[in-house]
Amino acid sequence: MKNQLLNILPDEKNLPNALDLSVDEWKSWLCDRGLPAFSAKQVVQWIHQKGVLDPEKHSNLSKSVRETLYKEFSWEVPKINSHLISVDASEKFLLETHDGHLFEMVLMPYDNRVTLCISSQVGCRMGCTFCQTGKMGLKRNLTSGEILSQLHIARENLQDRRITNVVFMGMGEPLDNYDEVVKACRLMVDKNGWGLSMHRVTVSTSGVVPYIQKLGKELPVRLAISLHEADDNKRSQMMPVNRKYPLAELKKALLEYPAHKRYGITIEYVIIEGKNDSIEEAKKLVKYLSGLKVKVNLIPINHFPGIEMKPSTASGLRRFQKYLSDRSIPAPIRYSRGQDISGGCGQLAAKHESELAMDPRVLHKNRRRIDRSI
Ligand code: SAH
Ligand code: SF4
């Protein structure tokens, strides 16, 4: 059953979740109860800026507001089903929603930043042939609160560092869950919320053109495009979204995207032996990218059971990379982090579905290895 007023998914106790409300929704909720609208800012600060999910501790609110908050909302965040730490120090969390769905997030500490890779949906309906999340199909959209919960859970697990960057590169197609994703992003960039600047939030998309345009008008955060192919026929085979929004339309939307000139656009190119790694393909890619300010991340495909595709050989990869960089397109090779803990998109949740039972020893063994290497 949905809460009519707020359009929010209630938890099992049938209460809406406090993390799902926007600043404006807090204002109306307070006004409807004859409570001061200015408290909306304070409630948002407690929840998102300070991470205090116990309304009794919201000390600058009146007792009656605190009691009502306690009674009328669920303050739960998804449970941690498993937590794996890689030898490269990235941490993967398999999270469980109140209605039993599994989704994942990855925390990636670097020397100068901490990037959190989050999910927007449980599964995905876009059906890309090389993607394990795509094979699951769509189970359901995550709510804005479930999206934001990932930041909360990551913060609780970070000892002395803080999240500096957020990327929507976990499970799901963010622009297929546009409203909830934008609602969550607004709280990420709100100074009373997470206070991240817009260029530190990246939405990655397979190319849902109308929503790229809408995002450009409403909240022009950074954009990453999962391109993987610059030939329409081949791309349509790999990525069904291309049948609806072919390459020319996608390019037009990218050229018009407001943040394009300022930050550029990241192009993700999963590189697959014998499919998209020839010089012929590199030529098409360079032609397609002309006029765009881009960086191309070359990502050797992660293998998973049930797919034939393999990553390019080291020499194939270098040849492709050189072709791009000789033409002034930066093209770093990015190995997915956390290979030893099922690093790729959707891989942990899928593995969980097939093998289940995470071995807690992996966590402790890797923690020891990291401690030794620091
Ligand atoms: N749906 C969005 C956001 C998910 S991002 C999108 O596609 O952009 C997940 C990233 O992982 C995408 O760039 C996707 O193309 C990539 N990916 C999917 N399957 C992969 C695999 N088997 N190996 C390496 N990268 C993969
Ligand atoms: Fe969905 Fe992205 Fe995977 Fe394609 S690559 S199936 S859009 S998650």
Side-chain angles (χ1 to χ4, degrees), residues 178 210-221 256-259:
Y178 182 86
Y211 285 103
I212 294 176
Q213 293 161 334
K214 199 162 152 57
L215 189 67
K217 288 191 191 109
E218 294 179 354
L219 196 72
V221 293
E256 287 165 6
Y257 193 76

Side-chain angles (χ1 to χ4, degrees), residues 48-74:
H48 300 287
Q49 193 181 76
K50 302 185 183 125
V52 179
L53 300 184
D54 175 357
E56 300 202 355
K57 296 194 177 134
H58 296 180
S59 52
N60 57 359
L61 298 175
S62 71
K63 192 158 187 289
S64 80
V65 176
R66 282 183 277 146
E67 279 174 1
T68 322
L69 285 172
Y70 180 79
K71 274 201 303 250
E72 294 198 19
F73 289 95
S74 160

Side-chain angles (χ1 to χ4, degrees), residues 74-130:
S74 160
W75 294 83
E76 305 281 304
V77 293
K79 283 201 294 263
I80 300 177
N81 180 296
S82 47
H83 174 193
L84 308 176
I85 301 184
S86 164
V87 286
D88 67 17
S90 58
E91 304 191 21
K92 186 149 188 162
F93 295 80
L94 186 61
L95 304 177
E96 187 172 340
T97 61
H98 66 82
D99 52 347
H101 288 292
L102 297 174
F103 64 101
E104 46 191 68
M105 69 171 189
V106 184
L107 189 54
M108 296 172 288
Y110 297 87
D111 289 345
N112 57 351
R113 65 186 194 280
V114 176
T115 300
L116 180 67
C117 172
I118 59 172
S119 294
S120 55
Q121 297 180 310
V122 183
C124 179
R125 66 182 179 132
M126 308 309 279
C128 305
T129 53
F130 50 85

Side-chain angles (χ1 to χ4, degrees), residues 156-365:
E156 300 264 291
N157 278 273
L158 276 168
Q159 279 129 30
D160 48 0
R161 299 190 69 183
R162 59 185 189 84
I163 301 163
T164 58
N165 297 64
V166 176
V167 296
F168 281 85
M169 291 187 187
M171 293 171 83
E173 167 51 59
L175 298 187
D176 189 37
N177 183 19
Y178 182 86
D179 291 347
E180 296 299 309
V181 165
V182 167
K183 194 172 173 189
C185 288
R186 285 196 198 285
L187 280 162
M188 287 177 206
V189 302
D190 192 309
K191 65 178 188 332
N192 295 312
W194 283 84
L196 293 170
S197 65
M198 290 242 255
H199 73 275
R200 293 190 177 271
V201 177
T202 302
V203 166
S204 175
T205 176
S206 55
V208 191
V209 168
Y211 285 103
I212 294 176
Q213 293 161 334
K214 199 162 152 57
L215 189 67
K217 288 191 191 109
E218 294 179 354
L219 196 72
V221 293
R222 261 188 203 246
L223 203 58
I225 299 293
S226 294
L227 192 69
H228 313 321
E229 200 26 274
D231 173 292
D232 261 323
N233 284 334
K234 288 182 157 187
R235 191 167 192 264
S236 293
Q237 278 167 27
M238 279 169 91
M239 305 179 70
V241 66
N242 195 72
R243 295 176 205 156
K244 201 158 180 194
Y245 307 114
L247 287 163
E249 277 185 41
L250 178 60
K251 183 165 178 180
K252 188 164 174 284
L254 300 186
L255 284 166
E256 287 165 6
Y257 193 76
H260 166 227
K261 295 255 150 41
R262 221 169 324 141
Y263 322 126
I265 286 169
T266 303
I267 301 291
E268 309 287 333
Y269 196 93
V270 168
I271 188 145
I272 309 167
E273 186 179 36
K275 272 205 177 280
N276 63 0
D277 64 344
S278 66
I279 288 298
E280 220 23 59
E281 297 283 337
K283 271 187 197 157
K284 284 187 204 164
L285 182 60
V286 170
K287 191 166 169 226
Y288 181 70
L289 297 178
S290 73
L292 287 166
K293 184 176 169 194
V294 289
K295 170 183 83 175
V296 178
N297 285 335
L298 297 174
I299 310 159
I301 189 170
N302 278 316
H303 182 79
F304 59 86
I307 56 158
E308 301 285 303
M309 298 168 236
K310 283 195 306 205
S312 301
T313 58
S315 62
L317 202 53
R318 275 198 303 272
R319 193 183 50 193
F320 198 94
Q321 182 186 38
K322 185 168 182 317
Y323 189 91
L324 298 186
S325 49
D326 284 351
R327 281 145 192 90
S328 308
I329 300 177
I333 298 171
R334 302 266 190 228
Y335 289 92
S336 299
R337 290 192 64 178
Q339 296 277 336
D340 53 331
I341 53 168
S342 303
C345 163
Q347 293 192 334
L348 184 60
K351 190 168 176 183
H352 198 276
E353 281 190 349
S354 54
E355 291 170 18
L356 219 74
M358 185 32 230
D359 184 348
R361 283 170 303 180
V362 177
L363 193 153
H364 296 299
K365 194 173 87 197

